[in-house]
């Protein structure tokens, strides 16, 4: 599709009209000061178990490169096993020493979680609250695992979520359609999905409208 | 399959050998005093949106009828919209007056949740803790919604979970295979699945072994 | 003291300059749309165990009468015992049928908690979040019990709290000075305290400035 | 008092008969496998703000030395400011590099919290659950701050708590009586208190009874 989304924009505000099953945000606009890009499972030990991880890292980098200058908060969730579920197979047993993703910058929010859910035993909720985030763009590794659990909790706690479908790498490619379908077919139960291109186009259109150089 | 499960049993303990992707519990036995059957989305307003709800109510009733005399705790999670996500489409806006499911008995654990996740803004964790539950059998309505969110949180918080596949009704039948696949194909990330017959056979075999009338 | 507080005000914003150990809010102004009055332990079964409950109900009623027309959200936390702590002596075993406080109105936030802490197993956080609350005025019953636990959690979760000292009734009068001292002497660890008169004067001064009838 | 406590003991079980306002545990015995000693605020940045910190470290070391060989889990909570309450005066802004307390050993539970409450945005609950803890002995730094907040939440979540009065250092000595009084005078609202000597005597008496060398 050459033009899958019809972005609307206003004075720095963002709307992704082609999100499924409905536009995002559902009403009004996402403002930079109230929006965060949250990258879930942002660590080698998880990404290395995912299909298409290299491509997804590139896509996430493009999202970060566009959303950071727009003014969104950039947040990274890392996971270790919950102490209460020590046999959890896909998560590392502890938060090890780590070289951050290339796209990470000082001042980004980094939340260490204990569990599949990025909100589990982590300061993620408090960090997002402190930054004034109400609109949450979600990407990351383990689409049907950490990404989905984090999306579900974010939605229950009141963040209005946009899952960027092709900026998420699944553990099992067979499970990706179902993971996306649960979002798209449920009428907005856990937020909505869009493509990275749809989000980037909406951002670029807003920038052009404002007379800025498109990011 | 005429005999899909090979139950093993010992002195009131339960093991479902044919659970996927591995036996349940992973080690040892589930004892009655440490086991609960949790029925998620146990309310007309959710069940009425699900495919196959009547059949699933019958299956759940059979599970309750078998697990209650065995000694397991029976728990029911009901959901209203999280106040922070007031547009959530599938959940009722508030906990209304309600006639409990026919299978409910005084002394059962009933937890009112605000959110898709049965643990969200609810006393479910405290109630399960008070009853000494460590092994959790999960069934209910909204397989890809409330059931999955509750399963994910239960697992992060340390309950060892068995999802009874055919005792769960999906909102969208197309999404059921993916919802079960996420459990079965992930190596135990959120527990394991079994069929109702597999669980009932394991319970009955244990009862026969103990000289009781099979439930 | 005839004039213990020096209110400052601006366009509907509120500041209580005489709060201890520092002004409230610490910076800027509390706006009606971002402010809630939270009454903790707002139920007969708790109030009846408190010293000075009648006087405190009157004081709380005056606060409600002033803050509601100003535009603040009014929130009420009610408590039952946590299922995990069933021997808790001062809390009722379950949420019974209840006639709300006279000052309660439809549209107020009512959160049922299971535990001494109003945030425990309750939708209080989600309800406050949904109303956009960032500044929290706290009053209620069980100063050293439910009120203090709720204040502590509210502060950890990012609400900037003002405890109205004489709108709180203690279980044990001997413990009131310590409960207030923990707030006032800790440099703002859990927020600040003020008197009801100090808060009402600040509200009235703002109203006069705006040409309204003083509340 | 030369003999303030009358320990009773049975086959490795512990009871502190002189705890206030009632014996601990309220019923039955605390077994080593179900008991943890939790040291709150166990870090130089908090201890250095407390009155009597050196003495309290010695007392805590004696408790660790007695409870570890008995078989209790040893747990340490460290605190940084909640991201949502970044101005919190007594907590360090982040978890810095740290030399553990001398008494810490590999295998101890260490939980990093974000907030005054050791359960806030931390894996403390999951860690205690994983170790099978039901009875919790609490000591540490910031009696009226981190220690009290952690005690309150532990109690709401179902751990039966014993606060060791003289193994806690307050920020403000004036506030210590009130902090202890809130526990002792409330009929068990947040657990009970005992002295270190009372706890050590009960442990030693049990050891002597079992023919072990008194610890």
């Amino acid at each position: 599709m050459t033009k899958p989304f019809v972005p609307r924009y206003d004075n720095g505000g963002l709307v992704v009209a082609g999100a499924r099953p409905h536009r995002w945000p559902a009403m009004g606009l996402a403002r930079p000061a109230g929006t965060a890009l949250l990258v879930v499972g942002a660590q080698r030990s998880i990404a290395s178990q995912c299909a298409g991880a290299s491509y997804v890292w590139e896509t996430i980098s493009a999202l970060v490169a566009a959303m950071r200058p727009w003014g969104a908060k950039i947040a990274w969730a890392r996971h270790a096993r919950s102490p209460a579920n020590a046999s959890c197979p896909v998560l590392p047993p502890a938060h090890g020493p780590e070289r951050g993703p290339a796209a990470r910058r000082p001042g980004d929010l980094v939340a260490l979680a204990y569990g599949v859910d990025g909100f589990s035993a982590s300061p993620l909720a408090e960090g997002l609250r402190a930054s004034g985030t109400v609109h949450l763009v979600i990407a990351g590794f383990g689409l049907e695992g950490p990404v989905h659990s984090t999306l579900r909790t974010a939605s229950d706690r009141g963040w209005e979520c946009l899952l960027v479908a092709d900026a998420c790498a699944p553990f099992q490619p067979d499970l990706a359609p179902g993971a996306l379908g649960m979002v798209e077919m449920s009428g907005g139960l856990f937020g909505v999905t869009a493509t990275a291109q749809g989000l980037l186009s909406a951002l670029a259109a807003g920038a052009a409208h404002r007379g800025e150089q498109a990011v």
Side-chain angles (χ1 to χ4, degrees), chain A:
Chain A
M1 290 182 290
T2 52
K3 208 162 170 46
F5 289 94
V6 182
R8 287 183 265 168
Y9 43 82
D10 170 79
N11 191 26
L14 173 73
V15 63
V16 182
R20 298 180 181 174
H22 58 65
R23 55 163 273 179
W24 181 87
M27 292 190 297
L29 298 165
R31 303 283 177 186
T35 303
L37 167 63
L38 171 62
V39 186
V40 178
Q43 65 205 92
R44 185 176 305 271
S45 58
I46 293 180
S48 64
Q49 301 176 65
C50 291
S54 302
Y55 169 77
V56 165
W57 272 120
E58 281 176 31
T59 307
I60 288 172
S61 298
L63 293 178
V64 172
M67 295 193 73
R68 191 191 295 282
W70 178 61
K73 187 79 177 175
I74 310 295
W76 309 86
R78 294 178 58 219
H79 307 252
R81 288 177 195 163
S82 166
N85 186 12
S87 64
C88 182
V90 301
L91 302 183
H95 288 291
E98 183 231 16
R99 213 174 28 159
R104 206 165 85 189
R105 293 282 175 274
D108 287 357
L109 172 60
V110 179
L112 306 184
Y114 291 87
V116 178
D117 181 352
F119 289 94
S120 176
S122 95
L124 180 56
E126 285 79 9
L128 290 174
R129 181 183 172 90
S131 67
T133 299
V134 292
H135 293 115
L136 199 54
V137 176
I138 297 184
F141 298 88
L143 168 60
E144 75 274 38
V147 173
H148 231 268
S149 287
T150 305
L151 170 71
R152 287 164 180 263
T153 297
S155 180
D156 269 351
R157 297 204 189 173
W159 283 283
E160 187 172 358
C161 298
L162 174 72
L163 182 67
V164 188
D166 52 347
C168 294
F171 291 130
Q172 299 283 347
D174 290 356
L175 296 173
L180 298 174
M182 286 178 192
V183 181
E184 297 167 3
M185 297 169 67
S186 66
L189 187 58
F190 322 116
V192 301
T193 72
T195 62
Q197 188 54 49
L199 176 58
L200 292 169
S201 296
L203 282 163
H209 179 72
R210 297 186 299 273
E212 305 163 9
Q213 181 178 358
V215 287

